[in-house]
């Protein structure tokens, strides 16, 4: 029986409100917060799943 490799790709989303002087600063603050682990996306915030055969 053949063996297949399947890739599962999930899209998780979260909208966050943040006070900042500009959009650029807001993006930087959230990116830093995400990279440091302060802002974490939960599995329940899954918005899409795709399956691919490799």
């Amino acid at each position: 029986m053949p063996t297949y490799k399947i890739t599962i790709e999930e899209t998780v989303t979260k909208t966050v409100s943040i006070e900042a002087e500009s959009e650029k600063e807001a993006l930087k603050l959230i990116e830093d917060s995400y990279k440091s682990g302060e802002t974490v996306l939960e599995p329940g915030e899954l918005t899409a799943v795709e399956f691919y055969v490799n």
Side-chain angles (χ1 to χ4, degrees), residues 4-24:
Y4 300 92
K5 291 185 179 185
I6 308 296
T7 298
I8 304 168
E9 181 180 304
E10 296 180 335
T11 301
V12 182
T13 61
K14 181 175 190 172
T15 300
V16 180
S17 296
I18 187 166
E19 292 183 6
E21 295 294 324
S22 66
E23 286 183 359
K24 185 176 180 178

Side-chain angles (χ1 to χ4, degrees), residues 18-32:
I18 187 166
E19 292 183 6
E21 295 294 324
S22 66
E23 286 183 359
K24 185 176 180 178
E25 180 188 15
L27 283 170
K28 172 91 171 87
L29 291 169
I30 291 299
E31 285 180 21
D32 291 347

